[in-house]
Amino acid sequence: MATKLLEPIHLHQIPYRLSYRRYTDNNYSGYYHCHQGMEILYVYQGTGTLMMNSRIYPLQPGTLVFIQPFQLHRVQMDVAVSHPYERTIVSLEPSVFQSYFQPFPHLQEFFHTLWSGNGTNSVYQGAGSDNWLEGLFSLHHNRLAELPDFECIHEFGLLVVQLFQYLQQLGLGPGKLNQRTGDSIRSRRHSEQIMNWIESHYHEEPLFDRLTEHLHLTKPYISRIFRQEIGSSVMEYVNARRLRQACWLLTTTDQTVAQIGIAVGIPNFSYFCQLFKKTFGLPPNQYRKKSILA
């Protein structure tokens, strides 16, 4: 049985999904996961945190988040009947919808930057204060429910274009630091320093020894503070990061499975295949074939 450490949202047959105003008032537990497509999250109700890009961001009503393909993240919400978590999630396979941007060269460039660029600001606080965004989601949710199946993909394409116009207006993208993105300069927690170091060194061994040398902290302290602040062990996070990269390499390169295992820091071929299958429910070669067929 596959673990939920990583959660691939399969967009093979239908390359989009609009989860409109999903509502949770109990039993919400966050975990590290990623998706092979883009994801845009908008929060209506609820408070919590998002762990992404080696940082911890607050989540609250009006927070808008853009998540790149295979980008590792974790949403942790404080949920109860008295304070539920309500959100809209837009998921899409970017390669399917890039053609909708051809009439708009500048917007197309912005779309590609968010798709695969590095160092993008991806969290915005206070979105939807003018109700335009909520109206956009509601309009297309109703339209998608009414249209025949063959028209739905074009309706969703229209939603995607409008949504990325809105993201561009908010100032998301590389080098566009905005005080409302939550990326202002501040001192980082130890857990954020750990994640930041792992992002550059996840493929190295012995990883834990190098991490302790870099931070000048003991292994027991690192293990305890990371679990307290993040909710998982350091090695669970490292393996999640390694497998995220493995998914990316399996779908974008022709490297062998053994080469990919070495590249991501798991040189033991049998262990790499075992860990991959435990996480995704199928071995790396089958994952690759499924992605190619899509």
Side-chain angles (χ1 to χ4, degrees), residues 45-56:
Q45 298 185 71
T47 57
T49 56
L50 166 72
M51 281 154 274
M52 186 173 71
N53 297 334
S54 305
R55 295 189 179 188
I56 301 174

Side-chain angles (χ1 to χ4, degrees), residues 86-218:
E86 186 178 11
R87 68 279 192 197
T88 286
I89 302 173
V90 178
S91 307
L92 65 134
E93 171 50 55
S95 62
V96 173
F97 291 95
Q98 58 182 334
S99 62
Y100 288 86
F101 291 87
Q102 288 180 356
F104 315 102
H106 293 294
L107 190 60
Q108 184 180 45
E109 182 180 357
F110 175 74
F111 174 75
H112 280 279
T113 298
L114 286 188
W115 180 356
S116 58
N118 294 322
T120 60
N121 296 326
S122 51
V123 180
Y124 189 89
Q125 304 291 353
S129 57
D130 56 1
N131 296 320
W132 184 89
L133 186 60
E134 296 183 26
L136 180 71
F137 290 144
S138 176
L139 170 66
H140 289 285
H141 169 71
N142 293 331
R143 290 276 295 164
L144 288 168
E146 299 169 352
L147 290 172
D149 290 345
F150 70 91
E151 288 189 34
C152 283
I153 190 169
H154 302 300
E155 180 69 24
F156 195 88
L158 181 59
L159 165 62
V160 170
V161 170
Q162 293 174 298
L163 190 51
F164 273 83
Q165 285 178 322
Y166 186 74
L167 295 178
Q168 189 177 43
Q169 290 173 359
L170 294 182
L172 271 70
K176 296 182 178 180
L177 189 63
N178 189 307
Q179 290 182 351
R180 301 184 71 180
T181 64
D183 284 338
S184 56
I185 297 174
R186 57 177 172 80
S187 59
R188 292 189 175 185
R189 303 184 189 185
H190 278 142
S191 58
E192 293 177 284
Q193 295 178 44
I194 293 167
M195 289 188 290
N196 190 57
W197 186 90
I198 289 172
E199 185 63 27
S200 300
H201 302 274
Y202 64 87
H203 55 284
E204 300 176 3
E205 287 290 353
L207 183 139
F208 222 133
D209 291 338
R210 296 188 180 190
L211 176 60
T212 57
E213 290 175 4
H214 174 75
L215 294 178
H216 304 290
L217 299 171
T218 66

Side-chain angles (χ1 to χ4, degrees), residues 7-12 14-17 33-40 66-73 89-97 111 114-115 164 244 247-248 251 287 291:
E7 180 191 55
I9 293 181
H10 296 294
L11 301 170
H12 302 312
I14 301 177
Y16 61 88
R17 188 173 76 176
H33 63 288
C34 66
H35 322 294
Q36 79 272 30
M38 291 178 172
E39 182 174 290
I40 297 164
F66 173 80
I67 303 169
Q68 291 178 313
F70 298 108
Q71 185 168 24
L72 197 63
H73 60 285
I89 302 173
V90 178
S91 307
L92 65 134
E93 171 50 55
S95 62
V96 173
F97 291 95
F111 174 75
L114 286 188
W115 180 356
F164 273 83
R244 168 208 163 186
C247 289
W248 177 256
T251 55
Y287 182 94
S291 299

